[in-house]
Amino acid sequence: VQLVESGGGSVQAGGSLRLSCAASGITSSSFCMGWFRQAPGKEREGVATINGDGTTSSADSVKGRFTISKDNAKNTLALQMNDLKPEDTAMYYCAADPTWRRCVRPVTRLPYWGRGTQVTVSA
């Protein structure tokens, strides 16, 4: 399984970014995927998850600002981030659990993740 993130960058507060994650080596098209982030000196924080049936869940800190979506045909995951805040600054990781159609574990504990993409938000 390989997950490759892209789309990170530097923006000012209030700006937007769209992260993408390309998944390969997975035969199923409907499985649990998600995003988590980690800022320097802080623990990993779950951001959002999406089940194989398309239902989603997100952290309270990003509700109303971030939207997770998945293209099952292409096995591509996205995270649309709007109204970004300085506290959103972190390395963002895509994660997957190909063995489950629903996310039964916290996104920070899914078995596969990519190398991450940096998001930096300035005030």
Side-chain angles (χ1 to χ4, degrees), residues 45-122:
E45 176 190 17
V47 175
T49 56
I50 185 165
N51 296 307
D53 62 1
T55 54
T56 63
S57 177
S58 59
D60 287 343
S61 59
V62 305
K63 272 191 172 72
R65 300 188 298 122
F66 292 10
T67 302
I68 188 171
S69 60
K70 185 172 181 282
D71 184 331
N72 285 336
K74 297 181 180 179
N75 266 357
T76 300
L77 184 71
L79 185 69
Q80 178 65 42
M81 305 186 295
N82 298 328
D83 190 23
L84 282 160
K85 302 177 180 181
E87 52 264 41
D88 294 319
T89 295
M91 185 73 80
Y92 282 72
Y93 297 87
C94 167
D97 190 348
T99 59
W100 288 93
R101 182 171 168 81
R102 289 190 62 81
C103 297
V104 297
R105 288 184 272 192
V107 64
T108 53
R109 296 182 63 185
L110 297 186
Y112 299 99
W113 60 89
R115 294 189 173 185
T117 185
Q118 178 68 38
V119 171
T120 302
V121 185
S122 57

